[in-house]
Amino acid sequence: MRNIKFIAIHCTATSQRTTVESILRYWKQNLGWKSPGYHYLIMPDGEVKQLLNENNVSNGVAGYNSETVNVCYMGGIDNTGKPTDNRTALQKNSMLELLKKLRVKYPLAIIQGHYQFPDVRKACPCFDAKKEFEKL
């Protein structure tokens, strides 16, 4: 079992209409990744798709993947490509419920957004996850 120190929150930085298949294809073909970027992907309708078993390492935060569970929501940009927190109410609810379950499994893990890791230069997940989930 991995020693989980972080639960990282991400956005796909895509349209909310993007398909899971296209994201998986991009990771494999364009980035050459053998594993998905996230363990969980939350769809606009609130459905939580598990892309990878938590015992396996994903590619969410460079330098931290061996000690991180990565959770992502589909979206994170507006119609012009500008970073924005466009989570649906269903996504917010599903994310909260998933994080409650992960908190039970990993009680000491720090929940924070991708951009809140050192040397990360992106807006992902486009909201302050550390603050939003500080009371979990």
Side-chain angles (χ1 to χ4, degrees):
M1 186 166 176
R2 297 188 307 134
N3 180 22
I4 301 301
K5 295 180 182 175
F6 299 97
I7 299 169
I9 310 300
H10 302 267
C11 66
T12 57
T14 65
S15 162
Q16 289 187 321
R17 292 181 302 278
T18 302
T19 65
V20 174
E21 293 76 21
S22 68
I23 290 173
L24 292 171
R25 189 172 44 255
Y26 175 79
W27 289 335
K28 187 173 184 179
Q29 293 176 355
N30 294 63
L31 301 178
W33 291 355
K34 292 180 182 168
S35 297
Y38 321 114
H39 293 92
Y40 297 96
L41 181 58
I42 304 170
M43 305 305 290
D45 65 0
E47 180 185 3
V48 177
K49 295 187 179 273
Q50 185 167 5
L51 304 180
L52 188 66
N53 186 291
E54 291 168 26
N55 292 324
N56 298 6
V57 177
S58 64
N59 290 302
V61 183
Y64 293 87
N65 291 318
S66 66
E67 56 195 21
T68 302
V69 171
N70 291 290
V71 174
C72 183
Y73 72 94
M74 185 71 77
I77 60 171
D78 66 15
N79 292 337
T80 67
K82 180 182 172 192
T84 189
D85 178 8
N86 60 356
R87 292 174 294 161
T88 65
L90 293 169
Q91 281 175 310
K92 288 180 181 182
N93 185 58
S94 291
M95 183 177 287
L96 181 60
E97 292 307 310
L98 175 59
L99 290 175
K100 285 178 183 177
K101 291 175 186 172
L102 292 173
R103 171 59 77 214
V104 170
K105 290 170 84 171
Y106 312 109
L108 301 178
I110 297 166
I111 300 172
Q112 64 184 40
H114 187 175
Y115 81 90
Q116 293 169 313
F117 285 84
D119 302 319
V120 173
R121 308 250 186 274
K122 49 178 73 175
C124 177
C126 304
F127 69 96
D128 187 344
K130 194 176 263 191
K131 183 176 181 183
E132 185 166 324
F133 302 117
E134 69 186 346
K135 294 190 175 155
L136 271 183

